[in-house]
Amino acid sequence: METMDRIPWLEYNTKNKDYADLPLPRVFATHLPYYLVPRDLRNKRGRVIYVTRNPKDVMVSYYHFSKFMSTLEEIPDFNLFMERFLAGKVLASSWLDHVAGWCSHAEDFNILFLTYEEMKKDLRSAVLKICNFLGKKLSEEEVDSVVRQATFENMRKDPRANYENLPDDIVVKDKGSFLRKGTVGDWKNIMTVAQSERFDKVLEEKMKTLPIKFIWDINDEM
């Protein structure tokens, strides 16, 4: 079963399905800001798992992703791309506003916050945290299986997880793959010191009221 059929995207109902007809429990993926998700989620009639990643790695990942996805605007000049990213002039709008919105309205939702970095550092603990949040009790063998299949390396080898069946009019397959590196701190390989400092300045101004600690490198303290 294809991943997008198993876990449809709220904002990309490409097959015009009536989501209300799907069997329970229903699982959806989304990049929507908090104010656009179904209203009942704000009444805590469902669970939200919100995954963040440090924004410099998000930006670099998206920069490469926009080359691979022909449906996205490709901006070859990285400095220009960074300014567009910081201004929110990219798909899904401002990363800064998105994270700030969900964090500042967390009490409206039944929500679990996870970071990409903590999953990279200790995937098993993250899986157990998700199980606890969902009220699911898995055996040791089942947890082992989930952890094994959910590593970036194994997902990259899995044609379904790596979306290898996307049609040629959507992706440019000689420009990469859906899943690229999956590392923490890759931003250091492309951003200059000046760009990093410019990014930090905008980030500090936007996020100063929120208690968020970003992990910029896998060796940082968790």
Side-chain angles (χ1 to χ4, degrees), residues 29-46:
T30 184
H31 283 310
L32 292 175
Y34 77 95
Y35 52 83
L36 288 180
V37 297
R39 199 172 295 125
D40 270 0
L41 281 177
R42 298 196 73 161
N43 299 327
K44 301 187 178 181
R45 291 184 59 192

Side-chain angles (χ1 to χ4, degrees), residues 111-150:
I111 190 167
L112 170 68
F113 287 97
L114 288 175
T115 69
Y116 182 78
E117 291 80 15
E118 69 181 293
M119 288 192 287
K120 285 293 289 186
K121 195 149 190 174
D122 189 350
L123 182 55
R124 188 180 184 84
S125 290
V127 169
L128 292 173
K129 195 180 290 186
I130 293 169
C131 287
N132 184 58
F133 178 66
L134 297 178
K136 297 293 183 183
K137 180 67 178 172
L138 299 185
S139 68
E140 287 293 311
E141 292 76 17
E142 288 170 330
V143 173
D144 289 342
S145 176
V146 171
V147 171
R148 184 170 58 252
Q149 293 180 71

